Amino acid sequence: MNHDHAYKLLFSEPEMIADLLRGFVHQPWVGELDLSTLEPVASSYVSDDLRSREDDVVWRVKHKRRWIYVYLLIEFQSTVDPFMAVRLLTYIGLLYQDLIKRKHWGNDKRLPPVFPIVLYNGESRWQAATELKDLIVNMPGGLSDYVPSLKYYLLDEGAYRQEDLAPLKNLVAAIFRLENSRTPADMLAVIDNLVEWLAMPEQARLKRSFNVWINRVLRPMGADFPPSSDLIEMRAMLTQRIEQWAKEWQRQGKAEGKAEGRLEGRAEAKAQTLLKLLTLKFGPLPDWAERNVSTAGADQLDAWIERVLTANDLNGFFE
């Protein structure tokens, strides 16, 4: 299953939409929603020239006495789209056309409001305009009065800090944390949270969706788990895989040292292996830790490599 479909699977669950709105849309109107009324809307719109949109996630939710359509556009691209506001204008137009065909409007024959969200998980920070007017030349003489008005709500996953997300009991925050995890220990902490939060039998389908998505996140690291495994099994397999990675790097370091055939070559290879292991477990290393490793002898490096798997923190490791 590709990246797009894994995300769509997750955001096809009402708990995900509710947590997204509660945890990341800090606007007064959200507090007036009845999130128990969340329901999906058919997400295939065909315009007059037969172009279609089939991969969007669209929900509606009751706001007091009126329905609000929450248009959730999931975009998974490695680069920022500078014209996202134009694309959204088209998509929302197709949504309104569909609502008109179905005669889904209020008693006053006015269309419901649409709240567009762009969920972005690229490596660089999002720099594109979030308002359509910023993409259109401002002309004098009243012409600007006819410029379409559209603004979308941006959720840039990489812009959130781990320390701000970790205290949140929120499923969407867990996604952001796992996407931005820098060490396997960070990943295990998120999976531990999900095991606790998704313990009820009625959450089985959502747990399966998370299994699929987590597997997609871990696959580039060489961890491809059976889709049928549950979160507890996945955590156990990830722990085992981390130990395998550590042992493989240990063997690689020894092989590189032998290939060098010199004491200084073996020490350098061991130092590089130890730096890889420490970065895998604790994340990016401070300068003092790298200096400790680079100045250590071969025997000390051997002792440290053996200690990696049992170390709890970086300071304690070097004591």
Side-chain angles (χ1 to χ4, degrees), residues 66-300:
R66 179 180 292 274
W67 288 97
I68 289 181
Y69 281 76
V70 179
Y71 186 96
L72 177 59
L73 171 65
I74 310 294
E75 285 292 328
F76 309 107
Q77 50 191 31
S78 58
T79 58
V80 176
D81 183 354
F83 295 103
M84 178 58 72
V86 177
R87 292 171 58 186
L88 276 170
L89 180 67
T90 301
Y91 303 157
I92 294 173
L94 292 175
L95 172 61
Y96 276 141
Q97 283 184 354
D98 185 74
L99 294 177
I100 292 170
K101 289 178 182 178
R102 299 170 187 264
K103 297 183 179 181
H104 286 183
W105 51 58
N107 295 330
D108 53 3
K109 289 196 174 181
R110 292 197 296 174
L111 295 167
V114 175
F115 179 56
I117 302 175
V118 172
L119 179 58
Y120 169 71
N121 67 345
E123 293 185 6
S124 61
R125 300 285 58 79
W126 188 271
Q127 302 293 333
T130 57
E131 292 193 54
L132 182 61
K133 66 179 182 180
D134 295 332
L135 298 175
I136 301 175
V137 175
N138 186 18
M139 296 291 289
L143 189 58
S144 59
D145 294 341
Y146 301 94
V147 171
S149 177
L150 183 139
K151 181 178 181 179
Y152 62 85
Y153 193 84
L154 173 67
L155 290 177
D156 185 347
E157 294 184 14
Y160 292 92
R161 301 185 305 170
Q162 289 281 37
E163 53 265 35
D164 295 331
L165 295 172
L168 302 178
K169 186 177 180 181
N170 185 288
L171 296 173
V172 178
I175 290 178
F176 293 0
R177 288 168 59 198
L178 194 54
E179 284 275 20
N180 298 326
S181 291
R182 306 176 78 174
T183 70
D186 291 338
M187 296 181 183
L188 290 175
V190 179
I191 294 176
D192 284 340
N193 288 151
L194 292 173
V195 169
E196 177 186 352
W197 299 343
L198 302 176
M200 303 301 292
E202 58 268 25
Q203 295 173 308
R205 190 175 67 177
L206 183 55
K207 281 191 288 188
R208 286 195 296 270
S209 299
F210 264 102
N211 288 339
V212 172
W213 180 77
I214 292 172
N215 202 349
R216 195 278 309 161
V217 172
L218 297 177
R219 191 174 299 128
M221 302 173 59
D224 193 1
F225 302 135
S228 59
S229 60
D230 63 20
L231 289 171
I232 297 177
E233 291 174 345
M234 184 170 287
R235 188 197 189 285
M237 287 187 287
L238 178 57
T239 302
Q240 184 180 25
R241 189 59 56 88
I242 291 171
E243 294 177 356
Q244 290 174 355
W245 288 333
K247 292 176 181 177
E248 287 171 6
W249 283 347
Q250 283 179 305
R251 288 194 296 269
Q252 179 184 354
K254 292 177 180 179
E256 290 173 354
K258 290 179 180 179
E260 289 291 340
R262 298 190 302 272
L263 179 61
E264 58 269 24
R266 291 196 299 271
E268 181 180 352
K270 290 175 181 178
Q272 292 301 317
T273 296
L274 180 59
L275 289 173
K276 289 180 181 179
L277 292 170
L278 291 174
T279 301
L280 175 65
K281 185 158 188 176
F282 299 114
L285 302 177
D287 291 340
W288 63 266
E290 294 189 2
R291 285 195 300 270
N292 283 356
V293 173
S294 63
T295 57
D299 291 341
Q300 179 63 74

Side-chain angles (χ1 to χ4, degrees), residues 47-64:
S47 61
D48 293 336
D49 59 1
L50 301 182
R51 288 175 304 190
S52 64
R53 289 290 301 173
E54 297 180 349
D55 294 328
D56 304 328
V57 180
V58 186
W59 291 80
R60 72 173 186 170
V61 61
K62 200 69 174 293
H63 178 272
K64 292 187 175 179

